[in-house]
Amino acid sequence: MGAPSAEDGGKNALLRALPSIEQLLRRPSLEARLSGLPRARVVAALRLAVERVRGRLLRGEARPFEDSDVDEALRTLATPNLRPVLNATGVVLHTNLGRAPLAPEAVARVAAVSRGYSNLEYDLDEGERGSRYAPVVELLTQLTGAEDALVVNNCAGAALLVLATLAAGREAIVSRGELVEIGGGFRVPDVMKQSGARLVEVGTTNRTRRSDYESALTPDTGVLMKVHRSNFALVGFTEEVEVKELAALGRARGVPVFVDLGSGALVPLTGEGLTGEPTVPATVAAGADVVAFSGDKLLGGPQAGIIVGRAALIARIKKHPLTRALRIDKMTVAALEATLELYRDGRPEAVPTYRLLTWPVDVLRARAERLHTLLAEKGLKARVAPTLGQVGGGAMPLARLPSFACILTVGEPAAFLECLRGADVPVIGRISDGEVVLDVRCLAEEDLGPVADAVGTAIQGRQPC
């Protein structure tokens, strides 16, 4: 074996020179930085700082431990891992960014019930135990036309619960063209398998007829299931059975029809670039026995899986043991109730998701121009250009939303976006044709200043990347 290189010797010397936590606690130069902080946080920060420097040295960066490493560790511990970001991607229901932003009314309601006790499962009129779903059931039945309702933690959970109740150990008939894969690699057949239902595929990928369902029915059929293709579209030589026709077949044969509607619009969404989307009330009116949909997609509320339908079936679903395992907490109930009230009051435009999806293009152009002005005042070069955004969240996959953006030409776009993500308020943009695109659709007026500040810091190289 050869002798260690000078570089290795220097690295090992720096590693041996790393201070202990006790040494750092007694270091005079750190006294002012650490004074007044809880000892547990101080110790955690010092350990983090030492580990980061050790990792840096092992990677070959020959920079010794410095007091600034402690400053950086303290900033890291003081920064929440889950934090607000500014969405400049042009994707409204961005799954990675938390999907639907809540209305101020919903945020206020969550704060009100979170800071103390609430009547979550207490009937104030009767003075006895009540139902946590009571605040939203009447609103949901009014808004959808269904007889009863239940809410669980998300739409996949809702589908699991419905199938476990109606078809465990029995057959669930589904069109091959509707066996979708949802986010994170989860597939409808896998969810069905976990429910205990036996999947029976009918039709072909692109064409399924009523006769396909009819010929597959047996005495062991538990449910006819229809899955809305929220995150992809079939075009061309296609055919499918509409809910009304499937419901008629189900009634004739005494088999319930379950529609997994996914995105779950409560009202029609019209705007430039939007495509048609079935609404929950229309699906209920078409005869579906049970309908499941998401709370944090087109509805614009908190994450939830909402189940509406015939009273007798919902009663069975409520009694299933999985209902407790999938139940929602008080904050979800509060946010959902406040959101549904906006629809009840005829104010869907007060729901941020509705508003973001239906902005007039001239409003977006004016907003992009204001961002351009703020950038120009900082001496930053950009141009305003039309662009296309997306609905996101697996909804309306063919929709392309006309918008406007500020376009920046930078040397290394990926590194530049990394700098924007490192801002005090992270800015999330995208790259198109080698340029950085900052779409303004999901940016409020008060967001434009922080976006301009983040861009200025990134361009001037003051933000570590």
Side-chain angles (χ1 to χ4, degrees):
M1 296 179 61
S5 66
E7 181 179 344
D8 289 339
K11 179 176 70 175
N12 290 333
L14 290 172
L15 285 169
R16 287 194 299 271
L18 284 175
S20 69
I21 303 303
E22 287 302 320
Q23 288 173 330
L24 290 173
L25 286 169
R26 296 193 299 268
R27 183 177 287 190
S29 59
L30 292 176
E31 184 177 352
R33 290 175 170 86
L34 306 180
S35 176
L37 296 176
R39 180 179 173 84
R41 185 191 299 181
V42 168
V43 171
L46 296 178
R47 286 175 176 162
L48 177 61
V50 171
E51 286 307 310
R52 283 179 169 177
V53 175
R54 179 178 288 109
R56 190 169 70 212
L57 293 172
L58 292 174
R59 291 192 302 271
E61 299 178 37
R63 182 162 66 83
F65 189 97
E66 299 173 353
D67 287 355
S68 60
D69 293 311
V70 177
D71 295 334
E72 183 60 31
L74 287 169
R75 281 193 294 271
T76 297
L77 294 184
T79 303
N81 288 315
L82 181 61
R83 48 198 287 225
V85 303
L86 299 179
N87 179 6
T89 67
V91 180
V92 176
L93 297 172
H94 200 306
T95 298
N96 302 139
L97 305 184
R99 289 190 181 157
L102 294 178
E105 292 85 349
V107 174
R109 193 73 60 84
V110 170
V113 301
S114 300
R115 65 171 58 100
Y117 297 101
S118 66
N119 61 321
L120 178 64
E121 289 191 356
Y122 187 77
D123 188 320
L124 293 173
D125 292 328
E126 301 297 329
E128 58 188 31
R129 182 167 184 164
S131 167
R132 69 176 53 213
Y133 308 108
V136 297
V137 167
E138 185 174 354
L139 285 165
L140 284 168
T141 56
Q142 288 176 358
L143 291 167
T144 67
E147 295 175 359
D148 201 359
L150 173 68
V151 185
V152 294
N153 62 343
N154 63 21
C155 197
L160 176 69
L161 177 59
V162 172
L163 290 168
T165 303
L166 303 182
R170 305 185 70 192
E171 298 168 346
I173 301 176
V174 188
S175 167
R176 283 190 176 89
E178 296 172 0
L179 294 176
V180 303
E181 179 177 304
I182 57 180
F186 296 97
R187 298 176 174 181
V188 166
D190 296 335
V191 174
M192 296 179 72
K193 182 178 180 180
Q194 290 300 315
S195 73
R198 296 197 303 274
L199 169 63
V200 176
E201 302 177 30
V202 297
T204 63
T205 300
N206 60 320
R207 306 199 83 183
T208 303
R209 303 178 178 89
R210 171 175 170 149
S211 58
D212 294 318
Y213 291 97
E214 199 162 12
S215 61
L217 282 165
T218 73
D220 205 27
T221 299
V223 68
L224 294 171
M225 182 177 181
K226 186 170 181 60
V227 182
H228 177 52
R229 292 185 291 267
S230 299
N231 57 1
F232 78 104
L234 286 179
V235 296
F237 190 59
T238 64
E239 183 178 352
E240 67 177 291
V241 180
E242 299 298 331
V243 174
K244 185 175 182 179
E245 189 176 3
L246 194 61
L249 173 61
R251 284 195 300 273
R253 300 293 291 269
V255 177
V257 171
F258 167 44
V259 179
D260 183 350
L261 200 55
S263 299
L266 284 181
V267 298
L269 282 160
T270 57
E272 192 170 351
L274 292 173
T275 55
E277 182 78 6
T279 65
V280 180
T283 304
V284 171
D289 297 295
V290 180
V291 181
F293 55 100
S294 295
D296 59 342
K297 293 186 179 180
L298 295 179
L299 190 151
Q303 176 180 300
I306 302 169
I307 307 169
V308 299
R310 291 201 288 117
L313 295 177
I314 298 297
R316 287 174 56 190
I317 294 168
K318 287 179 178 179
K319 292 178 181 178
H320 195 282
L322 273 177
T323 299
R324 182 174 179 85
L326 299 172
R327 72 180 183 177
I328 53 176
D329 72 343
K330 61 186 177 183
M331 291 178 284
T332 302
V333 174
L336 183 59
E337 180 184 25
T339 303
L340 294 173
E341 286 172 354
L342 295 174
Y343 285 100
R344 178 201 62 191
D345 296 343
R347 299 174 56 212
E349 71 283 351
V351 178
T353 296
Y354 183 96
R355 191 167 60 250
L356 294 174
L357 290 172
T358 57
W359 282 123
V361 176
D362 57 344
V363 171
L364 299 174
R365 181 191 293 110
R367 190 172 302 158
E369 293 286 357
R370 284 192 287 277
L371 177 57
H372 182 267
T373 298
L374 292 172
L375 293 172
E377 289 174 353
K378 296 178 177 292
L380 307 175
K381 292 183 179 180
R383 72 180 192 278
V384 173
T387 188
L388 293 174
Q390 295 179 312
V391 176
M396 299 187 189
L398 297 181
R400 295 295 179 267
L401 308 179
S403 186
F404 276 84
C406 279
I407 313 293
L408 298 97
T409 302
V410 296
E412 298 180 19
F416 186 82
L417 287 184
E418 183 180 354
C419 290
L420 293 183
R421 296 195 302 270
D424 290 338
V425 181
V427 176
I428 314 299
R430 60 185 173 89
I431 298 172
S432 178
D433 296 327
E435 297 181 303
V436 172
V437 178
L438 301 177
D439 191 314
V440 299
R441 176 176 290 275
C442 302
L443 298 175
E445 294 293 329
E446 60 268 23
D447 296 334
L448 301 182
V451 170
D453 290 341
V455 172
T457 300
I459 287 180
Q460 293 164 18
R462 293 196 301 267
Q463 177 66 43
C465 298

